[in-house]
Amino acid sequence: MKITLPDADIEYVSNFYNAEQASLLFNDLHQKLLWRHDDILMFGKQIKIPRLQAWYSDNDLSYRYSNMTLESQALTPILRQVQRKISEYSQHEFNAVLANLYRNQSDSVGWHSDDEIELGTNPVIASLSLGAERDFQLKHIKTKEKVTLALAPGSLLIMRGTTQHYWQHCIPKRSRNIMPRINLTFRKVLY
């Protein structure tokens, strides 16, 4: 399903993996990925990122964002299998994945665009959600229009074209209890 927004090319596939497949995949990744709890520099202070993360890629690609460099682990067989399925569906080649583990409702990621220079001019970002449903918010950089999408387990969100130029996105904290969620954001790192 296309999400119709100005200056964006966004597609949402609610059942990319069915409930059983998504649950098995969540459990496997939760147990086997090499999760890290990194620090980030904010307002001159080092603080813990409010989530766990893991970076996997082909060819030992590093990834830099927010003054932090992630050194790569080799793609696991299960990540490679998911990468192939998403690449086939999206007709786009990916060579890296940033995995985020949101342990509960207090874990989050703030407003940002996936616009790092190593992703190229109009990056394609394919985001697979597993585990608990979480709100994914989008905000237009100029008009400040906001949209909230509930990302179901097993769903795939693809952002293409100029989306990263005009829109920011986030996963906000919530007050109600939320079970863990894993998000896999596949991308192509150019250098």
Side-chain angles (χ1 to χ4, degrees), residues 32-50:
K32 294 180 182 172
L33 292 188
L34 299 175
W35 298 106
R36 306 163 33 141
H37 197 192
D38 291 309
D39 292 324
I40 193 169
L41 184 64
M42 286 188 69
F43 309 111
K45 289 175 32 179
Q46 290 283 346
I47 63 165
K48 289 286 184 195
I49 298 175

Side-chain angles (χ1 to χ4, degrees), residues 2 8-11 90 123-125 158-164:
K2 285 286 189 183
D9 181 354
I10 301 174
E11 181 181 0
S90 66
V124 176
I125 306 294
I158 304 174
M159 297 179 282
R160 299 180 174 94
T162 61
T163 305
Q164 302 303 321

Side-chain angles (χ1 to χ4, degrees), residues 119-137:
L119 299 180
T121 304
N122 289 322
V124 176
I125 306 294
S127 178
L128 179 69
S129 294
L130 303 164
E133 181 174 283
R134 287 292 296 258
D135 287 340
F136 179 82
Q137 294 184 331

Side-chain angles (χ1 to χ4, degrees), residues 84-104:
R84 278 194 298 268
K85 181 175 174 153
I86 292 173
S87 289
E88 184 178 304
Y89 176 83
S90 66
Q91 297 296 294
H92 187 80
E93 180 185 334
F94 299 100
N95 61 6
V97 59
L98 179 61
N100 286 298
L101 172 57
Y102 299 88
R103 297 160 292 182
N104 56 43

Side-chain angles (χ1 to χ4, degrees), residues 3 35 49 54 59-60 66 88 108 112-113 119 127 131 169 173 177 186-187 190-191:
I3 307 292
W35 298 106
I49 298 175
N59 304 319
D60 295 323
S66 296
E88 184 178 304
S108 63
H112 70 284
S113 296
L119 299 180
S127 178
H169 53 274
K173 294 180 190 301
N177 288 339
F186 288 89
R187 55 202 69 207
L190 301 178
Y191 46 86

Side-chain angles (χ1 to χ4, degrees), residues 34 36 54-58 60-61 71-76:
L34 299 175
R36 306 163 33 141
W55 173 249
Y56 289 82
S57 74
D58 295 327
D60 295 323
L61 297 167
E71 299 302 331
S72 178
Q73 301 293 322
L75 285 169
T76 66

